[in-house]
Amino acid sequence: MSLSPEQRREYRGIAHDLKPVIIVGDKGLTEGLQEELERALNDHELIKIKVASQDREARQEAVAALCEASGAELVQTIGKIAVIMRRAKKPNPKLSNLLRQKH
């Protein structure tokens, strides 16, 4: 599932005011981080991730690995912040960033 330019623009607008909910530190992609990522994507669908690495390629690899592991789509990356999205099977209207912005 690839996002159209219109969808990317819409999701970037929604994500603009969000704070990063996942922060990838020196330990990298640990099991606990993966579990937290799953929970965050199930709850919020559209989330920001901060990758603390100074190395640009390492950041890109970390974001790609997170997207691959979780089945999420990369919406955009700016510096150390990445915005990713994965639709939930049964989104929670109180938690989903996508549903909350529609109303």
Side-chain angles (χ1 to χ4, degrees), residues 26 51-59 80:
D26 297 338
V51 183
S53 172
Q54 295 296 325
D55 180 22
R56 177 184 288 173
E57 287 182 14
R59 288 195 305 261
K80 296 181 179 186

Side-chain angles (χ1 to χ4, degrees), residues 3 7-9 11 26 36 40 42 47 51 57 59-60 68 76 86 88-89 91 97 101:
L3 298 172
Q7 287 174 308
R8 282 185 195 280
R9 194 172 316 118
Y11 295 149
D26 297 338
E36 189 59 25
N42 286 335
I47 63 171
V51 183
E57 287 182 14
R59 288 195 305 261
Q60 290 173 337
E68 192 174 314
Q76 87 177 116
R86 182 182 76 192
K89 290 173 183 63
N97 289 321
Q101 296 297 326

